[in-house]
């Protein structure tokens, strides 16, 4: 497996992890801090845990599926098909998945996370 194949395989694993994280959050209510929360936020800062999981579930699941699809496309393309067009389709899927995840993450943080004073980055000095 060449470097491209290794990167595609790592993307596949990350997509699978996103799917797993979404399913575990939905079924068990367990929030994976490394996927669903900023590093300066903990689970206790979530105002509506069930609402947050509901909001993030479909978006994380979709992003994971898109990354898995892109990885499979790239792996098949690298070793069997060799189409420039499929390369760009895979790249577009990854960028779309990143956009979906980033927008959902940002909006979810604003809507469902209560930021403690001093964490917002806005210092009020007189």
């Amino acid at each position: 497996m060449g470097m491209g194949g290794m990167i595609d395989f790592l993307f596949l694993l990350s997509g699978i992890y996103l799917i797993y994280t979404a399913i575990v959050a939905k079924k068990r209510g367990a929030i994976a801090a490394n996927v669903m929360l900023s590093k300066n936020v903990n689970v206790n800062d979530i105002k509506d845990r069930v609402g947050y999981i509901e909001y993030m579930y479909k978006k994380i699941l979709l992003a994971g599926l898109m990354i898995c699809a892109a990885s499979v496309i790239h792996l098949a393309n690298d070793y069997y098909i060799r189409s420039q067009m499929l390369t760009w389709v895979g790249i577009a899927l990854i960028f779309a998945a990143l956009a979906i995840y980033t927008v959902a993450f940002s909006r979810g943080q604003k809507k469902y996370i209560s930021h403690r004073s001093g964490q917002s980055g806005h210092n009020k000095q007189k």
Side-chain angles (χ1 to χ4, degrees):
M1 182 180 291
M3 183 58 86
M6 182 62 78
I7 291 170
D8 295 334
F9 184 70
L10 291 174
F11 267 107
L12 180 63
L13 290 177
S14 67
I16 291 169
Y17 182 68
L18 286 176
I19 294 167
Y20 171 77
T21 299
I23 292 170
V24 168
K26 180 78 169 177
K27 289 191 180 226
R28 298 185 191 150
I31 294 176
N34 61 337
V35 173
M36 297 178 76
L37 298 174
S38 297
K39 65 181 176 181
N40 62 340
V41 173
N42 68 47
V43 176
N44 297 326
D45 295 331
I46 302 172
K47 294 184 274 188
D48 177 7
R49 189 179 179 126
V50 173
Y52 184 64
I53 290 170
E54 283 294 321
Y55 176 78
M56 293 297 290
Y57 170 72
K58 290 179 184 174
K59 289 136 181 106
I60 292 174
L61 186 66
L62 178 60
L65 289 169
M66 291 172 73
I67 290 171
C68 285
S71 300
V72 169
I73 287 169
H74 277 168
L75 286 167
N77 194 41
D78 289 348
Y79 295 103
Y80 302 108
I81 303 167
R82 303 192 192 286
S83 165
Q84 187 72 25
M85 178 63 130
L86 281 179
T87 299
W88 288 109
V89 167
I91 291 169
L93 275 172
I94 289 172
F95 279 124
L98 288 172
I100 289 167
Y101 173 79
T102 303
V103 169
F105 184 83
S106 178
R107 289 181 180 168
Q109 296 287 303
K110 289 177 185 171
K111 185 173 181 179
Y112 292 98
I113 307 297
S114 61
H115 297 283
R116 292 181 230 147
S117 61
Q119 284 189 346
S120 66
H122 301 290
N123 293 332
K124 295 179 184 178
Q125 295 179 350
K126 291 183 180 184

